[in-house]
Each structure stands twice: as C-alpha cells, then as structure tokens.
DNA sequence: CGGAATGTTGATTATATTCAACTGTTGTGG
DNA sequence: CCACAACAGTTGAATATAATCAACATTCCG
C-alpha cells in the first residue's frame, strides 16, 4: 500500500485513517464508519503555492488538512485578495458547499508543502444519513464557521486597521519563555497576513511600524514580540 | 385556547403548529415531532421598533418569523449599525447559536409589527438527536446562512457603494405590470437599507441620486423603478 | 397641527488605497 | 558557493472613497 503517486495523490489507508479519526468532524463517530470514510477518501500532497481550487469550481469533497496549511481567499479587483481563513492541521473545510452542492466561493491555495485528505461528497452525505452524531458534527462545524465569520464582519465593521491588527496579534500571543513579554509567530508572510486583516501590504507595514514606534511590539521577520500587551489590548477599548 | 396575553406572548397551538410546519427547518420532519416542537414553543407579538435581543444575550431558542420582519445588525462605534440580514415570514434564525450554546452575536429589532415563534433549545436539540432529517435541515440552513455571509463578504470587498446598491436593487427587482421597467419595494426605510448595504444614510442618498441622474432609476419613497436594468447590471461588470 | 423621525445636501476630513521607487530576502541553477 | 531572478517588504506622495459634521427639508403619525 502506501503508494505515493507521481503527482502526490495516494490512498494510503493508514495515513487516511489516522488523519480522519483525529478530526473534530468524526468525533464520536463509530470506528467502522470512520474506516469506511477513509477507504473512500484519497490523500494529496501539494507544494507551497499550489492552487487547489478556484472560486466557482466544485470541491471534490470535504477537505481535511493533515500537515501544512492552506488559505481560503476571496478575489478582489486587480489580483488583490482578502483571506477569510487559514486552515491548519486537523482542520477541515468545505462542509457547507458539499452539503448544499454549491460551487466553492473562495480560492484555495497551499501556504506551505501540505497534505490534504479529500472525503468525497457521497461519503459525507451517506454518513450524514447514517449517523446522527456525524450529522450533528457537520452542523456544529458549519455553525462555528458561520459564527466565526460573523465575528470577522463585526471586527471589519467596527474596528480600524490598527485595532484589527492589535486584536489579531493578541489572539495569537503565546508566552515568551522567561521574559515578561509575549510572542507571535505569523502563520504566513506579511502580505498574506495583511490580506487576512483586510488591508494592503503597504498599510500592514505602516501599522506594524506605528505599533513599533509606540513601543508596543518589536518585529523581526515573521516573529513579533509583544512588549506591552496591556496597552495593545487598550487600543481595542479606547 | 388562543390566549393572547397582555404582553403579546401566547401559546396558541394552532398558530404555532401552522407556522412551524411551514418552515424549511421542519421540512420532511414527522408530523408528530412538529406538533411536539410546537407544543414546546411560544409565540410573541412585537411592535415595530421593539428590540428582541441585544448582542451577547442568550436567545431563548430558534426564532421563526410568522409575519412582519426583523433585522439582525452589528453595532458600530457611535450608535451606527451594519445590518447583516432581514428576516421575513417563514424564515428562521438562531440555529447556530442554539446548537453551539453561544451568545447572540447581533442586535435583533422588529422592523414592523411582527409575530415570532420561539422554539426553545431543548426542543431543537432533542429533535436533532431524534430525527436525522431535522439534523440535516439544521445543517443545511446553517450552511446556507454561512454561504450567504461569504457572499456578503465578497461583495463588500470587491464592490464599491454604487455597485453594491446596483446589485441589491437588481436582486429585488420585480416585473412592473405592463411597463417595460422593473420595480423594487425596499424592505425597510432608506437608513436601514443603507446599513444593510454597509454605507451611511448620507452616502445612500447620494448613490440613489447618482443612479437617478444617470437615468437608470426613479425613486419615490420606498419604491424604486428600474428604468434601465441592463445598464444597471452593467455597473457590476465594468 | 406639531413634533419626531427620516431623508437630503454641501463642506470637510479620516482612512486606507494606489502608484512608484527602492531595499531586502530567498531560493535555484550554473 | 555565488549570481541572479523572483518574491517580499518598506517608504513617500498623491488620490479615492465614504464617513462625519452641520444645516436644512420632508414625511410620518398621533
């Protein structure tokens, strides 16, 4: 088994079973049904920069990320884009489009060398008709995406660029070993993170510089040290 | 039965059964389960302008509109708002927040004298655990809301004010008896429609005037006649 | 009729985009 | 390992879009 085809497609049973059984999508689902879904799925390896699907195409099923990451992005006029979501390991997307048999509303691009599993529509729909638990999982995951997006709307509507950046950095902050500071490792390059925040790379650069000048953060490449987290959070209130 | 309480609350069985059984949410669901859900629900009458719920409150269940309409809106800074959705007769909202037991992310306000049914969380969750068809309906409805919202993001990101207005008018256009034109009846006053389009009332006024000056539409109160629909649609492409 | 809500219009301003030039970084093939 | 091309990021100046402020007009209702 474990055949790795030239284009990176495969049906490695172990790999697929391992990946699927760890997904929130399959939490609580009977093992034999997970195995069956895995048997109907296939894996795909993608190089950084690969366009998986374009807007208006049909997804070949629900997509689960094994390792690496992808971005889901809306096209703006002029090659510009707005990133809706980064999808990392053990996350899935495409539940809603598969369920409703709709075209994909976003472009999907690998941000790093990435492995995904493709769970075909018939497998998803069959399982939904078989197991309440799975149907419920689908509903919950779609519901979470929905509420997440409402939150995005909220912040795009009531916060300006600095505030969105501050909120974003705050949400990614992790303890910085020993020091009295926090650290953020951006999940993509600055241009892409800018698109995630809904600004251009130029604006992003200026916003980072502004926070740096105010002494709130220090930037080096993709690493950002939060020097004064309290004051950063303060930006959101005032 | 049919007791109408002073505050407009009630448990009119007929009314609730009639309303619930017509909802997409209950399509295909066994009649006895619909009746049971109706028996656990209550109706509520609201005067125009009533605030049903505010952001961060818990919804008392899934809300179904019987007659009238409500708006779901995000608060901006300074009393301003962004309307995410108008909800009219036989439509529901709140599935995601009930399913995930999350606070309501929007303010909900009656736009006219309105009757709603409230289907409490335990009724919804019980039914989801009982009937696959219902669970599937919930997933589909949440999925539709989600894709709808992605579409909103798309248009807010890649279209300017005029284009959003043009697309909106186009989406509401109905044949104008006899004449070679189309007619739109706005679902709310202009200030509220402006908030739905993500602009201020001042900008909305200017946009309407612009389209009027170009001879594409004629506005009188809430009624808008589309004189040149082709050219209106043209705005979206160019 | 009269007051409140809604809508219009003009002037000014804030926010971020666009354009353009330049610098720094990365990864690849010779 | 270096050279170099492609990509990523920075900076400044000019610009676009719609928001905000302020004053006024209109419509809606009780």
């Amino acid at each position: 088994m474990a055949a790795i085809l030239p284009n990176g497609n495969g049906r490695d049973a172990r790999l697929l079973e391992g990946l699927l059984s760890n997904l929130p999508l399959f939490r609580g689902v009977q093992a034999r049904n997970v195995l069956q879904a895995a048997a109907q799925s296939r894996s795909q390896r993608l190089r950084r920069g690969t366009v998986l699907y374009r807007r208006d195409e049909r997804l070949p099923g629900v997509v689960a990320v094994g390792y690496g990451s992808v971005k889901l992005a809306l096209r703006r006029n002029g090659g510009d884009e707005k990133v809706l979501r980064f999808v990392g390991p053990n996350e899935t997307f495409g539940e809603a489009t598969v369920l409703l048999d709709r075209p994909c509303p976003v472009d999907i691009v690998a941000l790093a060398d990435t492995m995904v599993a493709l769970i075909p529509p018939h497998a998803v729909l069959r399982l939904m008709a078989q197991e309440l638990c799975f149907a419920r999982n689908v509903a919950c995951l779609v519901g979470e995406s929905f509420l997440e997006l409402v939150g995005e709307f909220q912040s795009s509507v009531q916060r300006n660029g600095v505030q969105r950046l501050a909120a974003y950095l705050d949400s990614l902050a992790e303890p910085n070993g020993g020091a009295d500071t926090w650290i953020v490792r951006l999940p993509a390059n600055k241009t892409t993170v800018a698109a995630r925040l809904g600004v251009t790379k130029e604006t992003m650069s200026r916003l980072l510089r502004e926070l740096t000048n105010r002494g709130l953060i220090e930037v080096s490449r993709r690493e950002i040290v939060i020097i004064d987290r309290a004051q950063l959070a303060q930006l959101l209130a005032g």
Side-chain angles (χ1 to χ4, degrees), chain A:
Chain A
M1 323 315 156
I4 295 177
L5 305 180
N7 59 357
N9 282 265
R11 305 279 321 242
D12 182 329
R14 293 280 165 70
L15 186 70
L16 288 165
E17 287 165 14
L19 174 48
L20 265 57
S21 60
N22 273 322
L23 298 174
L25 186 61
F26 287 96
R27 185 181 308 147
V29 172
Q30 293 171 28
R32 61 185 186 85
N33 282 332
V34 180
L35 295 188
Q36 191 178 8
Q40 295 176 303
S41 302
R42 63 194 169 90
S43 63
Q44 200 168 351
R45 271 156 246 265
L46 313 153
R47 284 204 318 220
R48 181 172 123 80
T50 307
V51 178
L52 279 101
Y53 308 103
R54 290 208 168 73
R55 198 181 65 190
D56 296 336
E57 290 179 359
R58 297 278 154 173
L59 293 188
V62 169
V63 182
V65 174
Y67 60 78
S69 67
V70 303
K71 65 179 175 187
L72 313 185
L74 298 170
R75 269 199 296 271
R76 276 181 153 154
N77 293 328
D80 212 354
E81 64 176 19
K82 157 82 201 192
V83 173
L84 284 187
R85 184 182 160 197
F86 296 128
V87 187
N90 293 315
E91 293 186 311
T92 50
F93 63 88
E95 292 89 349
T97 53
V98 163
L99 185 58
L100 296 164
D101 189 27
R102 299 277 179 79
C104 182
V106 293
D107 291 333
I108 302 169
V109 182
L111 292 175
D113 291 346
T114 296
M115 189 273 283
V116 297
L118 305 173
I119 311 164
H122 74 267
V124 174
L125 297 175
R126 200 183 48 73
L127 200 42
M128 273 196 80
Q130 266 183 346
E131 235 193 294
L132 266 163
C133 175
F134 183 79
R136 194 196 153 88
N137 285 348
V138 170
C140 286
L141 284 170
V142 177
E144 273 173 23
S145 304
F146 173 67
L147 293 177
E148 184 74 23
L149 199 54
V150 173
E152 283 296 309
F153 237 109
Q154 169 79 271
S155 94
S156 79
V157 129
Q158 76 153 29
R159 308 220 256 236
N160 61 24
V162 202
Q163 290 178 315
R164 288 205 300 282
L165 174 57
Y168 188 70
L169 293 178
D170 192 70
S171 77
L172 294 181
E174 299 199 353
N176 193 4
D180 185 24
T181 58
W182 300 76
I183 199 161
V184 173
R185 179 160 215 110
L186 296 179
N189 66 40
K190 285 179 191 157
T191 302
T192 304
V193 171
R196 167 69 185 67
L197 293 173
V199 298
T200 58
K201 63 185 197 306
E202 294 95 332
T203 299
M204 172 84 172
S205 174
R206 287 184 254 263
L207 295 177
L208 285 172
R209 199 150 88 84
E210 159 127 22
L211 293 183
T212 303
N213 287 342
R214 290 208 226 170
L216 304 188
I217 64 173
E218 268 168 18
V219 183
S220 81
R221 291 188 25 64
R222 277 195 198 172
E223 294 227 327
I224 298 175
V225 176
I226 301 180
I227 296 167
D228 189 341
R229 193 174 181 185
Q231 213 177 319
L232 195 69
Q234 196 73 12
L235 291 177
L236 306 179

